[in-house]
Amino acid sequence: MTGWPVFQSLQGYQTRWLRPDLIAGLTVWAVMVPEALAYASIAGVPPVIGLYAALPALVLYALAGSSRHLIVGPMSATAALSAAIITPLAAGETDRYIALTTALAIATGLVGLLAGLIRLGFVASFISEPVLKGFIVGLALTIIIGQVPKLLGIHKHEGNFFRQAWGVLTHLGETNWRAALVGLLSLTVVLGLRRWLPLVPGSLLAVLLGILAVRVLHLDEHGVAIVGHIDSGLPSVGLPGGLELHDYLDLLGPAVGVVLIGFAEGLGAAKTYAAKAGYTVDANRELFGLGAANLGAGLASGMVVNGSLSKTAVNGSAGAKTQLSGLTVAVLTVVTLLFLTGLFEKLPEATLAGVVIAAVIELVDIAALRGLYRVWTERLGSIYGRAARADFLGAIGAMAGVLLFDTLPGLLIGIGISMLLLVYRASQPHVAQLAQQGTLWLDVERHPDLPLRADVLVVRVESGLFFANADYVRERIEHLCTDRTRLVVLDAETSPSVDVTAAAMLNALRDSLAHRRIDFRIARSIGQFSDELTSARTSTDGVPVYPTISAATADLPAPITESEPRKADPRG
């Protein structure tokens, strides 16, 4: 914590920022209240718990976080993850379910605080963006199908996405037309205003219209479910009752997953708006701020929270300058809890479902997945195509994991896929064949018009050489050799390091090429590569090292160029 000032974004505050911060806070409050109620329903707890969580989270993040714009509160992804974690542990007991939901926020807070203190902010980099995208798409689809029964006023089926979808299809005949009409109109209002009047808080307007419809038309007397009683007043502070130490210990493992997803989403939002405003965020401090917000939410009878991209976007577009906007939202949330809870008791469940669906439908980013697939198919065989293929398959795998096995297993599958992609890419680096243009040596894949010498193969490995990729590199170099090749030069400028296994591979490659009457030389070995090559236990004295590629080829006779056009390498 050394060097981490509190309320960092308020330091050097200028009075001219007051008005935009207050306006932004009012705007975010108009969006947060209905969405907090909705996200609490996703988590399976009473709607007011969403407000309980938002209040301390906003204050504590402003105190501990590093972003001037990030809004922290209940969110769809972590709410759904909370429900998936708590449902099997609660054994159908409502009070225990609520207590465990609060305990999960506390456990998440402790994990986040500890991770921030020991500076584990780099961990977020280990979930690739495409895999996270696939996970979020799968999660959004699961949330949407889970809200459709409320939207239509029919019975909800449990299980994965496909079981819930089948339940909806088989019970369409039971649709309550009044509930469906209210829900669909609410969804239309939110989406329509977002499209044509983005400055109008569509979620709040839909909620108010839904409440008005129930009060005027007495829809609750005709089978339209409503939220019902919401406790007014501020939340009680302290640990949830009825739990033992082992309950908290059981939640620590799942809390790591909640932190990972919440941190990745929140950090992405914070970085986006920090770049726009010209400042930087500290990943470790963001992790600590997320932990503080969750610990506060849990101790205030709330649920898990994380940084919200959508509400941060609302905050930024409304002109927020500092976290005073978030503190304004907190003050307005207190006003809501003290005086306005009765207003929301007549809120139709169908309207709440419409607000949730509208909030998460933008997360179903099929266009991003389609873009990866297009790059894969259009650049087939190129380095870009191979990378897009791995990213697309990783995203689809993470999405399928959520849809088939539910949220928490899907998260684990997503993390596993990210690790596999990391290992895959490390084990199969790009081995570029080079051609000369003046004093430069360029990748022929990117410059296919450059002539190649038929008797000389110059290659560059765009990675360090180590045990995981040594065999692959050797195979690629040997595969690129032809019957006319007489010299292979490895340009080591882009290989920052080599380990003992890779040094032994270079010796073996030298020997195998020698059997084919091909010389093997190394050019431009730099820094750690040169040092480790010299000190490796396996002698590489037989592999000549030259300062430049030109020096490595200087003793060759006049160039022999290819007489036939190059064919695409079927192995890419």
Side-chain angles (χ1 to χ4, degrees):
M1 282 294 291
T2 303
W4 286 3
V6 297
F7 293 113
Q8 183 179 11
S9 75
L10 301 183
Q11 294 183 0
Y13 196 86
Q14 301 179 28
T15 54
R16 60 189 177 89
W17 294 346
L18 182 61
R19 183 174 181 274
D21 276 345
L22 293 178
I23 292 175
L26 180 63
T27 306
V28 172
W29 169 81
V31 175
M32 173 170 279
V33 170
E35 290 192 355
L37 298 174
Y39 295 148
S41 69
I42 292 177
V45 293
V48 73
I49 288 180
L51 298 178
Y52 289 168
L55 175 56
L58 289 163
V59 176
L60 290 173
Y61 177 80
L63 183 147
S66 65
S67 171
R68 302 175 193 168
H69 295 89
L70 187 68
I71 295 295
V72 175
M75 279 300 297
S76 55
T78 46
L81 193 54
S82 172
I85 293 168
I86 300 304
T87 299
L89 299 177
E93 300 178 24
T94 302
D95 290 343
R96 179 170 171 79
Y97 189 104
I98 295 173
L100 285 170
T101 298
T102 298
L104 178 62
I106 294 173
T108 300
L110 293 174
V111 170
L113 288 173
L114 179 61
L117 286 173
I118 60 178
R119 300 188 176 276
L120 293 181
F122 68 91
V123 172
S125 302
F126 284 88
I127 297 185
S128 71
E129 183 65 28
V131 167
L132 182 60
K133 178 69 71 177
F135 173 80
I136 294 297
V137 169
L139 190 58
L141 290 173
T142 301
I143 293 170
I144 289 171
I145 199 63
Q147 293 298 311
V148 169
K150 291 183 181 180
L151 191 77
L152 302 179
I154 62 178
H155 174 70
K156 179 182 178 180
H157 281 243
E158 300 299 328
N160 65 21
F161 172 86
F162 298 102
R163 289 181 179 177
Q164 292 187 55
W166 180 249
V168 169
L169 291 175
T170 55
H171 287 79
L172 282 177
E174 304 172 5
T175 300
N176 182 315
W177 68 268
R178 293 180 179 85
L181 183 61
V182 169
L184 292 173
L185 286 176
S186 299
L187 180 59
T188 301
V189 166
V190 179
L191 295 179
L193 290 176
R194 181 187 298 167
R195 174 67 176 82
W196 289 291
L197 295 173
L199 296 181
V200 177
S203 297
L204 184 62
L205 182 59
V207 165
L208 294 177
L209 290 175
I211 293 170
L212 181 63
V214 170
R215 290 188 179 277
V216 172
L217 302 176
H218 306 288
L219 297 178
D220 52 329
E221 299 175 5
H222 295 85
V224 176
I226 60 175
V227 169
H229 176 71
I230 299 177
D231 292 331
S232 62
L234 299 179
S236 58
V237 177
L239 297 175
L243 299 182
E244 304 292 339
L245 177 60
H246 69 85
D247 292 313
Y248 290 93
L249 295 177
D250 290 341
L251 291 171
L252 286 177
V256 174
V258 178
V259 169
L260 199 57
I261 291 301
F263 177 54
E265 182 177 353
L267 184 62
K271 284 184 174 181
T272 297
Y273 283 87
K276 290 182 179 181
Y279 66 95
T280 59
V281 293
D282 183 332
N284 294 305
R285 181 156 184 166
E286 288 302 293
L287 196 50
F288 188 86
L290 176 65
N294 272 283
L295 182 60
L299 293 176
S301 306
M303 55 183 283
V304 292
V305 297
N306 65 278
S308 165
L309 178 58
S310 60
K311 283 186 278 293
T312 302
V314 171
N315 194 39
S317 62
K321 302 297 182 183
T322 70
Q323 280 294 329
L324 183 63
S325 62
L327 296 174
T328 301
V329 180
V331 172
L332 292 173
T333 302
V334 171
V335 173
T336 304
L337 286 168
L338 291 177
F339 305 110
L340 300 179
T341 54
L343 174 66
F344 296 100
E345 291 180 356
K346 290 290 186 177
L347 174 62
E349 292 276 6
T351 293
L352 207 54
V355 171
V356 171
I357 292 172
V360 302
I361 199 169
E362 62 186 17
L363 299 178
V364 186
D365 194 356
I366 300 299
L369 301 181
R370 191 165 54 241
L372 289 173
Y373 180 77
R374 185 172 60 252
V375 174
W376 171 20
T377 54
E378 292 179 356
R379 305 294 295 274
L380 193 64
S382 71
I383 182 174
Y384 306 109
R386 292 194 297 273
R389 176 185 62 188
D391 287 338
F392 175 75
L393 294 177
I396 293 298
M399 182 179 71
V402 176
L403 297 180
L404 288 170
F405 304 111
D406 215 341
T407 309
L408 190 56
L411 170 63
L412 298 177
I413 290 171
I415 294 173
I417 290 173
S418 290
M419 296 298 101
L420 287 175
L421 288 177
L422 179 64
V423 172
Y424 170 77
R425 287 175 174 168
S427 65
Q428 298 194 16
H430 180 51
V431 180
Q433 184 176 3
L434 306 183
Q436 189 172 16
Q437 184 181 58
T439 59
L440 301 176
W441 289 84
L442 305 176
D443 186 346
V444 298
E445 187 174 292
R446 297 180 175 87
H447 303 274
D449 297 331
L450 292 179
L452 284 171
R453 288 191 62 167
D455 58 338
V456 177
L457 171 66
V458 181
V459 293
R460 178 177 67 210
V461 181
E462 297 180 352
S463 166
L465 297 177
F466 61 108
F467 66 93
N469 63 25
D471 289 339
Y472 175 80
V473 169
R474 175 181 173 177
E475 290 172 5
R476 292 293 294 130
I477 292 175
E478 291 179 336
H479 178 76
L480 290 171
C481 292
T482 69
D483 293 339
R484 303 171 68 184
T485 304
R486 291 295 170 260
L487 172 65
V488 173
V489 179
L490 172 62
D491 177 8
E493 186 178 36
T494 56
S495 297
S497 62
V498 60
D499 70 359
V500 172
T501 303
M505 178 274 292
L506 294 176
N507 279 319
L509 177 62
R510 174 202 61 200
D511 295 339
S512 67
L513 292 177
H515 285 299
R516 297 169 62 179
R517 298 183 179 180
I518 300 174
D519 289 336
F520 178 49
R521 300 172 182 177
I522 296 174
R524 301 201 294 185
S525 63
I526 59 173
Q528 191 180 6
F529 186 99
S530 179
D531 295 341
E532 293 178 356
L533 195 63
T534 302
S535 62
R537 294 179 182 175
T538 304
S539 171
T540 55
D541 293 339
V543 182
V545 179
Y546 293 80
T548 65
I549 298 175
S550 297
T553 60
D555 60 339
L556 296 180
I560 303 174
T561 57
E562 288 184 343
S563 58
E564 298 180 0
R566 293 194 301 273
K567 297 181 180 179
D569 183 354
R571 294 181 56 180

